[in-house]
C-alpha cells in the first residue's frame, strides 16, 4: 500500500511539473515573433528561421527589419531564391527599385526558369519606364507558364506603341 501511494505521489508530481513546463512553453507560441525569436535563441544560424521572421516583419509593414532578416537568411542560404524574392518585395515597398531589381537579377541567375521572377522584374522595368525590358520579361514569364495578367500585357503593348 505504501509503495502504491509513493507511485501515485510521483505521478501527481510529474503531472504538476509537466503542466508548469507546458504553461511556460505556451508563452513561446504567443505569436509568430515570439516563436521565431525563441527559435533563434536556441538554434544557431537558421536561415529558415530568419526567413520566416522576415516574412512576418513584411506582413506587418516593417520592411527594414524584414530586409535585415532576409540578409541574414541569404548569408546562410545563398541559393534560396525565395529569400531574394521576398527581399525584393520588401525593397519595392520601400521604393528602392534598384535594390529590388538587383535581387530579381540574382534570383534569375540561380533559377533562370522561374516565370514569377520575370513577371515581378517586369513590374520594376515598367516603373522605370523601360517598356522593352518589361515586355521581354512578360514574354519570358509566359514562356515559363506563369499566368500573366492580359490587362497588364495589353497596357505595356499600348504604351510601347504610343511612343
Amino acid at each position: 500500500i505504501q509503495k502504491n501511494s509513493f507511485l501515485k505521489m510521483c505521478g501527481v508530481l510529474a503531472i504538476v511539473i509537466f503542466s508548469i513546463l507546458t504553461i511556460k512553453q505556451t508563452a513561446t507560441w504567443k505569436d509568430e515573433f515570439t516563436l521565431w525569436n525563441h527559435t533563434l535563441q536556441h538554434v544557431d544560424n537558421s536561415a529558415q528561421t530568419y526567413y520566416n521572421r522576415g516574412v512576418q516583419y513584411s506582413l506587418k509593414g516593417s520592411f527594414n527589419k524584414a530586409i535585415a532578416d532576409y540578409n541574414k537568411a541569404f548569408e546562410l542560404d545563398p541559393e534560396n531564391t525565395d529569400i531574394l524574392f521576398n527581399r525584393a518585395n520588401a525593397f519595392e515597398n520601400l521604393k528602392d527599385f534598384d535594390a529590388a531589381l538587383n535581387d530579381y537579377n540574382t534570383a534569375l541567375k540561380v533559377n533562370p526558369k522561374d516565370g514569377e521572377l520575370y513577371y515581378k522584374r517586369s513590374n520594376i522595368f515598367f516603373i522605370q519606364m523601360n517598356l522593352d525590358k518589361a515586355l521581354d520579361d512578360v514574354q519570358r514569364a509566359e514562356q515559363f507558364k506563369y499566368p500573366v495578367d492580359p490587362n497588364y500585357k495589353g497596357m505595356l503593348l499600348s504604351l510601347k506603341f504610343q511612343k
Side-chain angles (χ1 to χ4, degrees), residues 39-145:
T39 303
L40 286 170
Q41 289 173 353
H42 294 85
V43 178
D44 291 334
N45 292 328
S46 167
Q48 190 63 46
T49 303
Y50 281 109
Y51 171 76
N52 290 339
R53 190 172 69 176
V55 168
Q56 290 305 308
Y57 279 130
S58 286
L59 291 172
K60 297 279 186 194
S62 299
F63 300 112
N64 287 318
K65 288 181 180 180
I67 289 167
D69 274 356
Y70 294 142
N71 289 342
K72 186 66 176 169
F74 190 66
E75 281 177 31
L76 299 168
D77 188 3
E79 298 295 310
N80 188 329
T81 57
D82 289 337
I83 296 167
L84 290 168
F85 183 86
N86 281 287
R87 188 172 70 180
N89 284 326
F91 281 129
E92 280 185 67
N93 282 294
L94 293 173
K95 309 288 187 238
D96 188 347
F97 301 117
D98 290 334
L101 189 59
N102 184 53
D103 276 353
Y104 289 131
N105 290 337
T106 303
L108 284 165
K109 286 178 187 170
V110 176
N111 188 1
K113 295 182 178 182
D114 187 331
E116 186 175 16
L117 289 170
Y118 286 107
Y119 191 70
K120 289 291 289 179
R121 188 174 74 171
S122 168
N123 288 308
I124 300 294
F125 286 138
F126 169 68
I127 289 167
Q128 295 176 335
M129 291 310 293
N130 190 335
L131 300 177
D132 290 331
K133 286 187 176 183
L135 273 168
D136 286 346
D137 274 2
V138 164
Q139 290 168 344
R140 285 188 181 145
E142 289 175 324
Q143 175 187 349
F144 295 115
K145 310 293 186 232

Side-chain angles (χ1 to χ4, degrees), residues 5 18 25 28 31-32 38 50 58 61 66 68 77 87 91 94 133 137 155 161:
S5 294
F18 286 127
Q25 186 63 28
T28 300
D31 61 26
E32 294 280 341
H38 174 80
Y50 281 109
S58 286
D77 188 3
R87 188 172 70 180
F91 281 129
L94 293 173
K133 286 187 176 183
D137 274 2
M155 179 197 59
F161 291 116

